[in-house]
Amino acid sequence: MTRPSPDPLHGVTLKEIVERLAGHYGWAELARRVPVRCFQNDPSVPSSLKFLRRTPWARAKAEALYVALVRDERET
């Protein structure tokens, strides 16, 4: 029996992260928490992926928010 990885990012694609964050917070709240234009102006998953793949600091912020979300869910 294998144990799940303690790393919440293990095996998760950037697309899954963006979809999960947008689904949980909504685009407006996501834009407030990670203030980047791809979340603020006419947001979509494809445009967000394109921007986050080119911008390491923004990707790191989105991933950190995802990790916090997953950890909060595990604690409840």
Side-chain angles (χ1 to χ4, degrees):
M1 187 165 141
T2 60
R3 297 172 65 192
S5 173
D7 179 8
L9 295 174
H10 180 76
V12 180
T13 66
L14 185 58
K15 181 180 180 190
E16 292 169 334
I17 291 171
V18 171
E19 289 173 342
R20 178 96 181 268
L21 290 174
H24 182 79
Y25 294 110
W27 289 111
E29 180 62 17
L30 183 54
R32 190 185 72 73
R33 291 174 180 253
V34 183
V36 292
R37 230 181 313 180
C38 69
F39 295 154
Q40 296 169 340
N41 300 329
D42 196 26
S44 70
V45 172
S47 69
S48 298
L49 292 175
K50 185 176 179 181
F51 178 76
L52 294 174
R53 286 182 178 131
R54 291 184 290 124
T55 316
W57 65 265
R59 181 180 182 146
K61 286 186 178 223
E63 288 175 344
L65 183 59
Y66 175 80
V67 168
L69 172 64
V70 169
R71 288 200 176 133
D72 287 348
E73 289 176 346
R74 286 182 182 172
E75 291 176 3
T76 58

